[in-house]
Amino acid sequence: QSVLTQPPSASGTPGQRVTISCSGSSSNIESNNVYWYQQLPETAPKLLIYRNTQRPSGVPDRFSGSKSGTSASLAIRGLRSEDEADYYCAAWDDSLPGVVFGGGTKVTVL
Amino acid sequence: EVQLVESGGGLVQPGGSLRLSCVASGFTFSNYEVNWVRQAPGKGLEWVSYISNRGGTMYYSDSVKGRFTMSRDYAKNSLNLQMNSLRAEDTAVYYCVRGDYGEGDVWGKGTTVTVSS
């Protein structure tokens, strides 16, 4: 059971908008930054969103992050076939202390 | 090129020990915090441990506390993870990750640890 809660799956057709939620608590998401990672099949994860809303250089602006209270979301606009991957949210948890991850959301492009 | 390369994985019996290494290149190693994150077969990501840039602060997940120990070798730009009393549930790909407080901006390709008799 992961500390951060994500839906196990999400899907959409090419061009659609997909949103992935990440629910936590006051000791993690509410008081610290949220990060999102994309893991393509058989590869190491890659940082997709940092500090709640920021995109690293090279990440398309189709990807966006938001945070409110104890929850965060990742939105993928204009879904493409190459977006098929597992997506994880992460945050520092002051109560541990340590990093907590969501269980991951598998995005399928129909 | 900024890079992290892990090594040291392999097959070990339950109760045994293994030492993983992570060599950094392309950046000033002593300026950055580093973590180990693992992924069991078919499962999600699990944070294992963190060490500060100067090595003075370390954190471990409850699942490895007392069994795993991190250390840094600044002369070799490397990070080590000494894993003792290994269990079947430690079987995973172990990633070396640069960053702090959940931000992992550079990941290695990982090294596989299998604990089995």
Side-chain angles (χ1 to χ4, degrees):
Chain A
Q1 192 79 359
S2 302
V3 174
L4 304 182
T5 301
Q6 296 179 236
S9 64
S11 63
T13 56
Q16 276 191 327
R17 184 176 190 270
V18 168
T19 301
I20 300 169
S21 61
C22 176
S23 177
S25 68
S26 59
S27 63
N28 43 64
I29 290 181
E30 188 165 46
S31 50
N32 294 292
N33 290 316
V34 176
Y35 301 87
W36 289 91
Y37 296 92
Q38 178 193 57
Q39 186 176 30
L40 297 170
E42 306 303 320
T43 67
K46 165 191 155 185
L47 182 64
L48 199 65
I49 297 288
Y50 67 100
R51 295 179 199 168
N52 308 315
T53 61
Q54 305 302 301
R55 281 186 311 277
S57 171
V59 173
D61 62 3
R62 302 185 296 104
F63 294 92
S64 62
S66 63
K67 186 182 101 166
S68 178
T70 59
S71 294
S73 293
L74 173 72
I76 308 173
R77 174 175 50 86
L79 194 64
R80 303 175 68 157
S81 58
E82 57 259 40
D83 298 333
E84 274 208 347
D86 294 321
Y87 293 83
Y88 296 90
C89 59
W92 184 261
D93 193 307
D94 295 328
S95 67
L96 295 181
V99 180
V100 290
F101 283 97
T105 298
K106 185 174 187 64
V107 169
T108 301
V109 181
L110 302 170
Chain B
E1 181 191 2
V2 173
Q3 204 172 3
L4 295 169
V5 179
E6 305 92 338
S7 62
L11 174 64
V12 62
Q13 292 189 338
S17 297
L18 212 53
R19 186 177 179 86
L20 305 185
S21 291
C22 168
V23 177
S25 59
F27 64 98
T28 303
F29 180 63
S30 59
N31 286 352
Y32 290 88
E33 294 81 0
V34 192
N35 301 263
W36 287 98
V37 173
R38 69 185 180 183
Q39 187 169 34
K43 302 295 185 183
L45 302 174
E46 179 190 11
W47 172 78
V48 173
S49 59
Y50 157 97
I51 188 166
S52 60
N53 59 335
R54 291 299 181 183
T57 299
M58 285 170 276
Y59 298 120
Y60 298 91
S61 68
D62 285 345
S63 59
V64 308
K65 202 173 294 181
R67 301 187 298 123
F68 290 12
T69 305
M70 288 181 83
S71 61
R72 300 182 74 136
D73 185 334
Y74 295 95
K76 295 181 180 178
N77 275 1
S78 69
L79 172 75
N80 299 306
L81 183 68
Q82 178 65 41
M83 305 188 296
N84 298 329
S85 303
L86 282 162
R87 307 166 180 166
E89 52 265 36
D90 295 319
T91 295
V93 175
Y94 284 72
Y95 295 103
C96 179
V97 184
R98 187 182 83 171
D100 64 349
Y101 299 106
E103 179 171 5
D105 65 342
V106 179
W107 293 62
K109 287 183 166 54
T111 186
T112 300
V113 172
T114 303
V115 184
S116 174
S117 54

